[in-house]
Amino acid sequence: MDLQPILTHVTDIARETGAMLREAFEGPLKIDQKSGHFDIVTEADKNAEKLIVAALEKAYPDHHIVGEEGGSMGAPIEEADYRWYLDPIDGTTNFAGGIPHFCTSIAMADKHDRPLVGVVYMPYYDEMFTAARGLGATFNGEPMQVSENEDMITGVLVTSFNYKQTNPGEPNSFDEVRAFLAKARAVRYFGSAALDLCWVAAGRIEGFWEWGINPWDCQAGVLIVTEAGGTCSDFSGADTDKLYLGDEVMASNGKVHEGMVQTLAEVYRRA
Ligand code: IPD
């Protein structure tokens, strides 16, 4: 399958979605709750998803589509060789609060959920991150590489607290954060897993980890990191479904990966 024309098409869709989101970001927003006060959706999420789904359904009528807002769409999953994962706004809480750190994330995967094409667009700063399997990763059209830093202690790591952690009594990642704070220059929390992954790919940060997210948060970013020369795995360092479905996502420049895996292993041994 020639992935380049698909990548070009999806890049155009993401740019068009970004124009819509930039406009919505400037205006008044209608915010609704989904599973709780911490999990919200805006009209812009829904409108952006409609735009993306209409374009994908027209171009790829025999593909399955999974959207953060609309769930399963397009061709039935059992009949489709390819599936799309899309998040119209990753970083919705930022978007709704007037913080411009949000993006659109679109990925096409094979029937085993291994991503083939990934596009993440940050409209406010006009930053486009793309990759296709075997074709490399780009930032605003130029080849992109992970950082060369070999030492976690001089690196910056990023995580997020997934929505499940908001419920009292649920497991949380506080011990993980504490452990990494002792082993890295800094730990940051920006609120968009898709952008966190792209920032690993762009060499702005050394690593990212988060558990309990969704495939639409990570499918595009995981491919973009890998194609930029980085490493992605589950928390044990293995290339399993846990990574691609968002259950456990660890991404790095490759050089600090083993250190990240060991750090989490120590945390879980103690637990
Ligand atoms: C969320 C962001 C956040 C992560 C959450 C995601 P959304 O996506 O990626 O960083 O911690 O688990 O659900 O809800 O803004 O699309």
Side-chain angles (χ1 to χ4, degrees):
M1 181 183 224
D2 186 359
L3 298 176
Q4 187 58 57
I6 300 177
L7 180 61
T8 305
H9 180 218
V10 181
T11 305
D12 291 344
I13 297 173
R15 215 177 272 291
E16 196 186 334
T17 311
M20 176 195 263
L21 294 180
R22 252 194 315 268
E23 207 179 310
F25 186 65
E26 303 298 338
L29 293 173
K30 186 176 170 303
I31 303 168
D32 292 318
Q33 286 186 17
K34 293 199 284 186
S35 57
H37 67 275
F38 45 84
D39 186 13
I40 56 173
V41 63
T42 68
E43 277 303 304
D45 291 80
K46 295 176 195 164
N47 292 337
E49 185 162 302
K50 273 187 209 146
L51 185 158
I52 301 165
V53 170
L56 295 179
E57 281 184 334
K58 187 163 172 225
Y60 314 104
D62 52 351
H63 293 193
H64 185 65
I65 303 170
V66 183
E68 176 173 17
E69 310 310 332
S72 284
M73 295 168 277
I77 193 160
E78 54 287 352
E79 290 169 20
D81 286 336
Y82 301 97
R83 41 187 83 163
W84 292 85
Y85 288 103
L86 50 107
D87 192 345
I89 307 180
D90 188 58
T92 305
T93 304
N94 289 344
F95 177 84
I99 300 168
H101 192 83
F102 62 86
C103 65
T104 297
S105 176
I106 308 175
M108 185 184 87
D110 63 22
K111 54 162 71 159
H112 306 291
D113 285 318
R114 299 311 186 249
L116 298 166
V117 169
V119 170
V120 173
Y121 183 53
M122 189 190 201
Y124 198 82
Y125 294 108
D126 191 21
E127 293 196 338
M128 181 70 79
F129 304 88
T130 74
R133 193 189 287 174
L135 300 182
T138 67
F139 169 63
N140 284 348
E142 298 296 326
M144 170 171 62
Q145 284 290 318
V146 293
S147 90
E148 292 287 324
N149 189 349
E150 300 198 355
D151 300 315
M152 198 154 73
I153 198 70
T154 57
V156 175
L157 306 179
V158 174
T159 192
S160 250
F161 300 98
N162 68 56
Y163 297 144
K164 300 176 185 99
Q165 301 188 38
T166 310
N167 297 322
E170 292 291 326
N172 61 53
S173 47
F174 301 164
D175 289 342
E176 299 165 24
V177 172
R178 195 174 298 118
F180 279 122
L181 277 171
K183 295 202 175 194
R185 174 165 286 158
V187 175
R188 295 282 184 258
Y189 170 21
F190 299 120
S192 164
L195 282 175
D196 296 338
L197 286 160
C198 289
W199 284 19
V200 174
R204 293 174 179 171
I205 57 176
E206 274 61 39
F208 165 77
W209 88 99
E210 186 173 359
W211 50 269
I213 57 176
N214 291 293
W216 51 78
D217 298 316
C218 66
Q219 277 271 335
V222 161
L223 179 68
I224 292 169
V225 170
T226 311
E227 288 295 324
T231 302
C232 292
S233 72
D234 67 17
F235 285 0
S236 75
D239 184 25
T240 64
D241 285 351
K242 286 185 190 170
L243 163 66
Y244 301 99
L245 300 179
D247 297 336
E248 293 179 5
V249 180
M250 183 177 281
S252 79
N253 65 355
K255 305 202 163 49
V256 304
H257 208 82
E258 188 48 37
M260 289 182 71
V261 169
Q262 276 173 16
T263 303
L264 283 191
E266 284 162 22
V267 170
Y268 286 117
R269 261 200 304 274
R270 277 200 305 270

